[in-house]
Every structure is written in C-alpha cells, then in structure tokens.
Amino acid sequence: MQLPLVTTRWLDANLNAAELVLIDVSMRKIVGKEAIVYPTPLFIPGSKRLDLETTLCDVNSSQANAFPTEAQFTGAAQRLGINSDSIVVLYDNQGTYAAPRAWWIFQAMGVKNAFVLDGGLAQWLSEKRAVVATLAGPAAAAGDIQGALQAGLVCNSDYIFAHLASGQLAILDARSHERFLGLKPEPRAGVRSGHIPYSLNLPFAEVLDGHCFKNPEQLAQIFSKLIGSKTQPLVFSCGSGITACIILLAAVMAGYQNVTLYDGSWADWGSNATLPVA
C-alpha cells in the first residue's frame, strides 16, 4: 500500500493536473472533537463534493455510517469523473476527521491511487493558500472506475466475536479514554458504555500533531507500545467507523499492513445486548 498522504505543498503545485480529482468529504455531524465552524462555505479550488453521510453510506442498513455498496461507490465515483488512472485526493474541513474514512472506502473498493490531504482545509487555510466559495462544476464525462470490495479490509461483529479470546487480533479503539472506560455516556441512544473485551485504547487525537498526522517515526513509536508485531492482524473501531480510520491510516504510515475496519464499531457492538462489554 502506498503512503496514504499528500502535503498541502504538493497539492498546491498539482491543482491543475489533468489526472487530479480533488474531493471535499466533510461531514455535518462531528463527534469526539470540537468542530471547526465556518461562517461561509470554503473549498480548495477545483474541489468536487462527495457526501459520506448519504452518497457513500448504505442508508438501507440499520448500522450507523454503514459502508456503501459496490454499486453506490461505483456510481458516485463515476459521476465525479474518476477514471482508473485518476489521482484522487480527499480532504475535509475539520483538519483530519472524515477524509481517512473516505480514503479507506476507496482502498477497500480497490482504488489504490487515492490519498488524504494531510491537515485538510484547516491546514490549507493556516498556510494562507487560495480558497473559493463554490465547488467545481460536474465532470465533463462519467469516469470508468469500478468499485470491487476487497476481502479482509472490513469486518463485522461476528468476525470479532469469533476471534475475541484467541489473541489473534489486536483491537484498537479510537474513542476517548472516558468513553472507552465507560466513564462518559455514549452519544447514541441505546448504546451501552464500555468497550470490546481485550481491546486497546488509542484516542485518535494521539496520532495527530495539530491538524496533521505525526510523522511515521513518531507513529511507529506509538504503535510499538501497543502492538508487539507488525504482522499481527489489527482491527480498528471507534463510535461508528469514522475516527477508527484515522488511527488505521496512522498504523499504515507506521508500517502495519494487516489492517481491518470494524465498520459498525461501538454503535453496533454496544447496542447488541448479546455481545460482551468490558
């Protein structure tokens, strides 16, 4: 897997590249951090929009923020003009929040040339780079990209429960310490407090330095304190599968390759009374 980030400097120098597809994937609902509020819409020039809460979410699922179907993904990506040779750069307006989730969806659907803008719009603005108030127009022609869900990159509660006590998996939870320990109520009704037994806590803010990710060496030190081997299978969880992707991306930067997203995350596990809670 390629290094998943591009820098603001790289993007600024390549904004007019013919193969670039720049996508704003900002979310309306922000959980787990203080939201950055913009009085008026702002976008990096040339941005198109992809909605993670509707367009790239299986709204027919009972699960919060459910992974999109292959057909959903393919249709949305083609409408944006994404081709098999496109370079897709994803960003959000919170610095680092939703873009890693979008990146993992692209990765899981077999689109490997998709990247996250490190620091997103917030970092871009802090460097006083140009912004616009409107999105780019529709693509001149539909793209030819085809999404195909790759095996092993997304899992459900059955998979975790089957391996729970075996020691084969390391489960990392991106929620705050207070939520992980059950000291703070969950924001979703009907979801119990606590965490998946045997899981480890790595709040997503700990892999960030301001709006951006810490460097690979710093991230390797963080993960080495939690995980013994870089070959051990890692499963990432959070509240509903959004911020889990932040620490998943950080793990990839640190050199871990056997990574899986628990898409339902705690909203799924904690609302199922048949599953154990620690």
Side-chain angles (χ1 to χ4, degrees), residues 11-278:
L11 180 60
D12 209 0
N14 289 275
L15 273 178
N16 296 318
E19 66 273 22
L20 176 69
V21 181
L22 179 61
I23 307 176
D24 180 327
V25 292
S26 304
M27 296 181 71
R28 289 174 290 275
K29 185 176 182 180
I30 309 298
V31 178
K33 71 181 292 290
E34 185 176 351
I36 301 172
V37 178
Y38 296 85
T40 58
L42 294 174
F43 307 99
I44 298 172
S47 297
K48 300 178 185 298
R49 174 85 179 121
L50 190 51
D51 195 323
L52 286 181
E53 292 160 291
T54 56
T55 308
L56 278 194
C57 177
D58 184 356
V59 294
N60 295 317
S61 172
S62 60
Q63 180 179 299
N65 297 314
F67 228 69
T69 65
E70 290 179 349
Q72 269 185 297
F73 175 83
T74 298
Q78 289 184 352
R79 287 192 296 273
L80 290 172
I82 299 175
N83 294 307
S84 56
D85 60 351
S86 295
I87 298 173
V88 179
V89 175
L90 305 151
Y91 76 93
D92 66 75
N93 62 15
Q94 296 299 307
T96 299
Y97 186 76
R101 165 73 176 195
W103 167 77
W104 193 242
I105 290 173
F106 274 77
Q107 296 293 314
M109 290 294 178
V111 183
K112 302 306 180 186
N113 52 340
F115 306 90
V116 169
L117 175 63
D118 196 18
L121 179 64
Q123 185 66 25
W124 185 271
L125 287 170
S126 74
E127 296 165 357
K128 302 187 183 336
R129 301 184 189 273
V131 291
V132 294
T134 57
L135 293 163
D144 62 18
I145 201 73
Q146 291 286 333
L149 187 61
Q150 310 294 293
L153 299 190
V154 183
C155 73
N156 58 22
S157 60
D158 291 341
Y159 174 81
I160 293 178
F161 186 74
H163 296 85
L164 199 56
S166 67
Q168 295 175 337
L169 298 179
I171 306 165
L172 282 78
D173 189 322
R175 294 175 300 155
S176 68
H177 292 307
E178 292 80 7
R179 287 177 66 189
F180 181 80
L181 295 174
L183 302 176
K184 184 177 180 180
E186 287 297 304
R188 293 176 176 85
V191 178
R192 296 170 292 173
S193 296
H195 59 267
I196 300 170
Y198 308 105
S199 61
L200 306 167
N201 189 207
L202 178 57
F204 70 87
E206 294 186 9
V207 304
L208 302 176
D209 181 8
H211 300 306
C212 299
F213 280 91
K214 292 180 177 177
N215 65 48
E217 293 74 23
Q218 292 172 312
L219 295 173
Q221 291 179 0
I222 290 171
F223 281 97
S224 67
K225 294 177 182 178
L226 295 170
I227 311 299
S229 169
K230 286 191 175 182
T231 61
Q232 184 176 14
L234 307 183
V235 173
F236 295 85
S237 179
C238 61
S240 64
I242 305 299
T243 59
C245 297
I246 298 175
I247 61 171
L248 186 157
L249 187 153
V252 171
M253 290 179 62
Y256 295 82
Q257 298 297 316
N258 196 348
V259 295
T260 302
L261 172 67
Y262 174 21
D263 192 44
S265 286
W266 187 249
D268 177 58
W269 190 281
S271 61
N272 187 339
T274 68
L275 294 173
V277 170

